[in-house]
Amino acid sequence: MASVTAAINLPLSQYREIDRADWARLAAGLDQPLTETEVVGIRGIGDRLNLDEVREVYMPLSRLLSLYASSIRRLGAATSEFLQEDDATTPFVVGVAGSVAVGKSTIARLLRELMSRWPGTPRVELVTTDGFLYSNAELERRGLMDRKGFPESYDRRALISFLTEVKSGAAEVRAPFYSHMRYDIVPDAHVVVRRPDVVIVEGLNVLQPPPAPNDVAVSDLFDFSIYVDALPSDVEKWYVDRFLALRQGAFSNPSSYFNVFAHLTDDEAVTTALGYWNEINMPNLIENVMPTKHRATLVLNKGADHSVESVLLRKV
């Protein structure tokens, strides 16, 4: 009886928890397709992505994603055969979520490169949800300029419409284009998606639940989702470090929306960055982003040095 009671009291989880060493062993036999120069080109400001991290963490992840994509494709083909109709398999859609400065953009770019090297998924497109932010003029009209990045600052209906078209197999779908230099939507500029094998959708709020019970969630249109996790204190440091790096780089461009920050002293820049973090990005992380972690298929847990320390994979 004691053994039965013990079994009942064992903690249950919908995830497999895999530490870095065990996950890295899954890379055995996988060739490293990227050069150091390519990795540097993919790496975001402040990120520390290197060849070891690519080989030990992201090669196994890209292989897992290719297996999921192939399985979905086979299921689609089998369903079409059962219905006695032509195969109408649609793109495999991957969502990548997480805080500002956590490295999700780097991960999305890296997965685009790695997945395109697998035979079953040669055509991979990346779309960021920045393109579905309301324009600055519209945010000003709605009184939301200080809440840019919060769920209400996005044109959720346009994003749902875009993904619905992608998943319906439309020959061509267009997404708005966002310029980080202008800090705004660029009129008449688009990202065009033409039925690729995989579409990666990266953004802060892509795992948000629907605003009403009968509404469609963005994540309802994903085949696989990834949440990039880290301690808020670590993300705060990465955010400040990135702000300091941008001040010496992109912010120094006279055309940059943030050029006003280019001539700040180090102390002034740190104070400014912490102000943005504490007033906007931290509240958004705590209220809206972190609560969506449990909705992900896979969670990458990062340590203070930006490297992945463990992986949570939802049980199938």
Side-chain angles (χ1 to χ4, degrees):
M1 181 63 69
S3 61
V4 173
T5 302
I8 292 174
N9 291 332
L10 283 175
L12 299 177
S13 172
Q14 59 182 323
Y15 289 97
R16 297 179 175 87
E17 184 169 3
I18 308 165
D19 66 27
R20 168 65 177 259
D22 289 335
W23 183 261
R25 277 194 280 273
L26 301 175
L30 301 180
D31 293 330
Q32 165 64 280
L34 301 180
T35 65
E36 186 169 0
T37 300
E38 288 174 314
V39 171
V40 170
I42 292 168
R43 189 166 58 205
I45 294 174
D47 212 332
R48 301 180 186 178
L49 183 70
N50 56 39
L51 287 174
D52 287 341
E53 190 84 352
V54 172
R55 181 180 61 255
E56 296 179 3
V57 176
Y58 298 104
M59 280 300 297
L61 177 53
S62 73
R63 178 55 178 154
L64 178 66
L65 288 171
S66 75
L67 291 174
Y68 269 73
S70 296
S71 297
I72 291 291
R73 188 179 298 110
R74 287 195 299 270
L75 178 60
T79 302
S80 295
E81 182 179 358
F82 171 74
L83 296 173
Q84 299 179 12
E85 61 184 25
D86 293 338
D87 186 2
T89 305
T90 59
F92 182 78
V93 180
V94 180
V96 180
S99 172
V100 167
V102 80
K104 64 185 181 299
S105 297
T106 294
I107 290 169
R109 289 193 298 269
L110 177 59
L111 290 175
R112 176 180 60 186
E113 294 303 316
L114 292 176
M115 290 194 73
S116 68
R117 313 295 174 104
W118 290 106
T121 53
R123 298 182 304 119
V124 183
E125 296 287 354
L126 170 60
V127 175
T128 73
T129 58
D130 291 341
F132 294 93
L133 283 161
Y134 289 115
S135 68
N136 287 352
E138 180 63 17
L139 290 173
E140 292 280 9
R141 190 185 72 79
R142 295 179 180 227
L144 293 174
M145 198 61 188
D146 290 336
R147 290 180 68 81
K148 196 168 185 176
F150 281 70
E152 62 267 29
S153 66
Y154 291 87
D155 188 344
R156 181 182 169 278
R157 289 184 179 179
L159 177 55
I160 291 288
S161 177
F162 168 80
L163 287 173
T164 299
E165 287 192 67
V166 168
K167 288 304 291 180
S168 71
E172 179 177 294
V173 190
R174 293 172 176 253
F177 178 77
Y178 183 86
S179 168
H180 288 275
M181 185 70 68
R182 294 170 55 169
Y183 194 56
D184 203 355
I185 301 297
V186 179
D188 301 321
H190 297 89
V191 176
V192 182
V193 174
R194 297 184 176 91
R195 286 205 70 179
D197 302 298
V198 179
V199 176
I200 299 172
V201 181
E202 176 260 312
L204 285 168
N205 300 301
V206 295
L207 294 179
Q208 282 285 312
N214 292 330
D215 288 340
V216 176
V218 172
S219 59
D220 289 340
L221 297 161
F222 294 160
D223 297 293
F224 195 102
S225 55
I226 299 166
Y227 184 92
V228 188
D229 196 23
L231 292 175
S233 57
D234 290 334
V235 184
E236 176 186 299
K237 181 179 184 306
W238 300 340
Y239 179 82
V240 172
D241 289 346
R242 188 178 74 173
F243 188 93
L244 293 174
L246 286 169
R247 179 191 52 144
Q248 298 175 333
F251 291 176
S252 63
N253 188 322
S255 301
S256 171
Y257 179 90
F258 297 102
N259 182 249
V260 65
F261 300 135
H263 305 295
L264 295 178
T265 66
D266 286 351
D267 288 345
E268 290 171 336
V270 169
T271 299
T272 300
L274 286 174
Y276 281 118
W277 175 259
N278 290 320
E279 294 169 17
I280 299 174
N281 294 293
M282 180 64 163
N284 194 23
L285 172 61
I286 299 299
E287 296 169 19
N288 300 305
V289 182
M290 285 179 62
T292 68
K293 177 171 68 172
H294 74 281
R295 297 171 62 86
T297 314
L298 181 140
V299 179
L300 296 172
N301 293 313
K302 282 190 165 189
D305 64 352
H306 251 300
S307 65
V308 172
E309 296 183 337
S310 64
V311 175
L312 298 177
L313 177 62
R314 187 184 294 274
K315 296 173 182 176
V316 178

